[in-house]
Amino acid sequence: MKTITRILMVAVMLTASYAAQAQLYLGGSISGAYSESPSTATKAWAVDLSPEVGFAFNDRWAVGLRVSYGKSFSEVDSPYLHETKTSVNLFTANPYFAYAPLRVNRFAVWAEVGVQFAPEQEHADFKTYAGYITPVLTYDATRHLTLKANLGFAGLAVTGTTDGDLVLAGVIGGDEAITFDDDLSIGVVFRF
């Protein structure tokens, strides 16, 4: 009986210690992109707002949910096309978990693994989903404030639609593009 009591006491102390390290966090990012391609006579821009909420179990493991609203616009300067302007509004939900295999002082390198869901868009009768892994760099500015950079340009994704399409792709920047949308996202996280 004494052994069971001791085991239960150790389990309660470990659980209390583990819970004391865990932290709820709120944050997000605002990102944008602009590209211009002389070879295709295309100009495009995009803006993305991505608030997130999560739970850091300790300094190496976290889970979270990011929701995003994105707006993009592209224009092709061609006399041969009837539809030269395209505007898209996109809402996505993105649950993820992250692991930090490398920490040096206030810096950390994380591997974020998640899924992303997008509802049907205008002129489309399918939903889009993706599974991905991407590196994330963080810097703990203070005890509660962390700067975060998602390095999407170094990620790998499997993207599909509910009508059966499936694509495995690495994410690589576009033709003469300055982009902070999917390629690089810089944000902030506040831990309670």
Side-chain angles (χ1 to χ4, degrees):
M1 190 66 164
K2 289 182 181 181
T3 305
I4 294 173
T5 305
R6 286 181 185 164
I7 291 172
L8 289 174
M9 288 179 62
V10 169
V12 168
M13 289 188 314
L14 287 174
T15 303
S17 172
Y18 186 69
Q21 293 178 1
Q23 292 181 312
L24 177 69
Y25 62 87
L26 294 173
S29 64
I30 298 173
S31 56
Y34 176 78
S35 66
E36 189 170 337
S37 175
S39 61
T40 60
T42 303
K43 293 180 183 178
W45 60 265
V47 175
D48 187 70
L49 305 171
S50 300
E52 70 181 280
V53 61
F55 191 76
F57 296 104
N58 52 39
D59 64 347
R60 294 209 184 261
W61 287 97
V63 295
L65 174 67
R66 186 179 302 115
V67 292
S68 298
Y69 168 74
K71 170 78 174 173
S72 66
F73 179 81
S74 64
E75 181 177 12
V76 179
D77 187 17
S78 173
Y80 306 107
L81 297 174
H82 297 292
E83 295 291 327
T84 60
K85 296 180 182 180
T86 305
S87 179
V88 176
N89 294 302
L90 181 63
F91 173 79
T92 59
N94 177 202
Y96 65 88
F97 73 89
Y99 173 67
L102 178 63
R103 294 191 72 82
V104 178
N105 295 324
R106 294 179 171 208
F107 292 93
V109 177
W110 296 76
E112 181 178 298
V113 178
V115 292
Q116 193 171 47
F117 303 99
E120 290 180 12
Q121 298 301 302
E122 188 176 343
H123 307 297
D125 59 352
F126 57 85
K127 297 178 176 101
T128 305
Y129 56 90
Y132 69 90
I133 182 168
T134 189
V136 177
L137 299 178
T138 61
Y139 174 74
D140 296 330
T142 68
R143 186 172 153 231
H144 295 287
L145 191 66
T146 299
L147 304 176
K148 183 176 180 180
N150 287 40
L151 307 178
F153 60 83
L156 182 64
V158 176
T159 303
T161 62
T162 52
D163 69 354
D165 293 336
L166 189 65
V167 176
L168 172 65
V171 182
I172 300 172
D175 180 25
E176 296 182 24
I178 299 172
T179 178
F180 294 97
D181 189 25
D182 293 331
D183 294 343
L184 174 66
S185 176
I186 299 172
V188 65
V189 169
F190 183 81
R191 294 180 184 220
F192 292 94

